[in-house]
Amino acid sequence: MAEPRNHGPSRHTSSPVLTWPEGSRIAFVAMAAALVAWRPPALAAHLRWIGWASILAGGFPIFAEAAENLRARRMTMELSMTLALVCAAAIGEFFTALVITLFVLVAEALEGLTVDRGRHALAELLQVLPQTVRVRRGAGEERVGLDQVRIGDLVLVNPGGRLPVDGRVEAGHSFVDAAAITGEPVPVERQAGDWVHAGSINQTGSLDVRAERIGPDTTFGRIVAAVEQAEQTRAPIQKLADRLAGYLVYFALACAAATWLVTGNLRSTISVVIVAGACGIAAGTPLAVLGGIGRCARLGIIIKGGVYLEALGRIDTVVLDKTGTLTFGFPEVVAIEPESGHTPEAVLGCAAMAERRSEHPLGGAILRQAGVLGLAVEEPAQFQALPGQGVRALGAVGQVLVGNRTHFQAHGIAFNHPQQAGHPSATEILVALDGQPMGRVWVADRARGEARAAIQALQAMGVHTLLLTGDAAPAAAALGGELGIGGVEAGLLPEQKQERIADLRKRGRRVAMVGDGINDAPALMEAEVGIAMGSGADVTREAADVVLLGDDLMKLVEALRVARRMRKVIRQNFAGTLAVDGIGVGLAAFGWLNPLLAAFIHVASELAFILNATRLLPPHSKNNQ
Ligand code: ADP
Ligand code: MG
């Protein structure tokens, strides 16, 4: 039972094992119990003395903790067990007292091991950065520890290695897999001038990277910090568990007092104290939360706190943004319709100038198409983005306006064409030059491969789905139909998205919002749980409570499943502890449980609840780089 756990092939991080003092203490108490049970005639006269000594020596950590809890005025399992132990020994039941000591020691060691295992699983996940790094400083090349790399160092990365810093490539050419950081699913080509992220995998060639952000300032470092923080903040359910555990110990003591008053039987009284204690709640809950967060992290879902995992388990409505969330956010220009007097190239050229500084995926589509057609794109002298509407820019050609109809109405420019001529699922982008309509560009984006399956899975779980988008109704409705989404609302400005979510929450819905863009950040904050796509804007990832690395919507479904399982496990443990305590106390009060049996029931049920919680721990990873 108390063997070190086997943690498979991890060589770089030390696996949790039973510590020396723990192991020898357990062995010592077991031998003392055997000796007391055997009652060798030669020692018969000294048994009382031997019993007390071994209880004090073996149970020392329990007593120490009990004393600390007493000082802090906290009612805990250690306190009640100490009381029970001392009482058992006082009436001469040394064997019982020693076995109880043994059980408590074993249970605590096992609990420690399982919690360590949870921590270990998280740590392992996060320790993927290389520990030594090759840098070129001045003329020479040296190998230094990761913590000795400084901003401005030129870091040399071989193919197959993880990048240790955020920075810009100075030399070399390679494909880099950044799925774990930004969520971009396919490796991207990187060469001089390109930005690379710590934690991504350098695949094909070697790269020389100028370090610009190191350690905790890298994107990877921030993810690590978020997970570590998550581990430390206590979810409300944990606080509830602690409080409940405290009450149950009081309950046990009250029942014991009543038993003593009514029956006057000291053994029954001790049994009552021993059988109750409620550690299943207190022990299982942090482990379940830790396990849930760890399991999610392993799946590429960063949960920024137990609170959010708990909230996620209660979500009944998922609101999704369209561009970049349900679609790839890599739209393509499918048609250009100039007004008379303009060429398609002129329309695209003006639009590209205006979008040059834009971060919006639609702007990206226009710039890519301008690149394909070989147009030289001028740098705008002035640029302004209006989230949910479009952009305005001033260039050598004049004042250019690009965006949707709301944007144009706000600027008093009228377009006479009906909205959806010929391109039902594409988004219409209007372009105007110096207040005059110039033409429109149609841009279409493909739905993510897994989007339909994810929506269906959510609905099968009884979760409402709703698409809120700033895009025009025809394109939104087309996508909504294709994916089978529960509801579609189009033409919304960012603050209207936020209002809709506030409204849903007011009507009692528990809402999670998934988005990727800067314009989604207010809505993410408004939702009970804000979820950002990994490849989304930095602000959005910061504003979110949950980040889906790898951009896979199925992971959203997975996260909901893990969260629900966590809540279920914790509820099972709550109910189980209450049942065991209630029934156990009843039996003990009537004298049907002797102290030994009571101790066994207590410890066995506690272990069962801990094991129940370990089911949530992530499986051991096989591909440790
Ligand atoms: P979504 O809610 O689908 O993510 P946004 O709120 O980002 O969409 O944008 C809503 C609409 O605003 C887009 O469909 C587009 O019509 C217009 N728009 C926003 N930004 C731009 C831009 N940079 N260029 C052109 N149109 C834009
Ligand atoms: Mg978006």
Side-chain angles (χ1 to χ4, degrees), residues 321-323 355 358 360 362-363 386-391 402-404 427-429 468-472 492 497 516 519-520:
D321 159 67
K322 177 176 163 285
T323 315
E355 297 280 11
S358 158
H360 202 279
L362 293 176
L386 296 120
Q389 301 186 37
V391 297
V402 182
N404 57 20
T427 298
E428 174 197 59
I429 300 177
L468 294 186
T469 177
D471 204 349
L492 299 174
K497 289 188 186 180
D516 69 305
N519 56 335
D520 298 320

Side-chain angles (χ1 to χ4, degrees), residues 256-459:
T259 308
W260 171 244
L261 285 178
V262 174
T263 66
N265 184 332
L266 197 55
R267 293 192 85 214
S268 304
T269 308
I270 293 173
S271 299
V272 169
V273 176
I274 294 172
V275 79
C279 15
I281 293 186
T285 304
L287 199 60
V289 174
L290 188 67
I293 291 175
R295 183 171 277 263
C296 284
R298 181 63 59 76
L299 291 167
I301 307 158
I302 303 302
I303 313 262
K304 295 191 188 166
V307 196
Y308 308 117
L309 192 60
E310 193 192 333
L312 209 53
R314 280 197 304 252
I315 290 305
D316 60 16
T317 306
V318 172
V319 174
L320 301 117
D321 159 67
K322 177 176 163 285
T323 315
T325 301
L326 285 171
T327 68
F328 280 105
F330 274 109
E332 284 169 6
V333 172
V334 289
I336 304 173
E337 293 173 2
E339 296 288 303
S340 60
H342 295 287
T343 63
E345 284 77 15
V347 174
L348 196 68
C350 280
M353 182 277 287
E355 297 280 11
R356 194 159 164 161
R357 301 261 131 230
S358 158
E359 293 189 50
H360 202 279
L362 293 176
I366 288 175
L367 284 169
R368 273 194 298 280
Q369 186 66 13
V372 169
L373 299 183
L375 304 177
V377 178
E378 179 202 340
E379 181 77 28
Q382 276 174 29
F383 167 81
Q384 193 188 6
L386 296 120
Q389 301 186 37
V391 297
R392 187 170 59 198
L394 187 67
V397 279
Q399 161 101 9
V400 179
L401 210 62
V402 182
N404 57 20
R405 293 195 177 223
T406 320
H407 192 38
F408 274 60
Q409 264 149 27
H411 285 81
I413 306 175
F415 252 80
N416 300 322
H417 305 280
Q419 211 161 3
Q420 62 267 67
H423 308 283
S425 63
T427 298
E428 174 197 59
I429 300 177
L430 309 174
V431 185
L433 178 61
D434 290 328
Q436 294 304 313
M438 200 184 179
R440 27 184 201 174
V441 180
W442 293 93
V443 172
D445 197 359
R446 270 180 309 131
R448 291 186 190 277
E450 79 288 356
R452 191 182 157 78
I455 296 292
Q456 237 113 77
L458 286 177
Q459 282 166 350

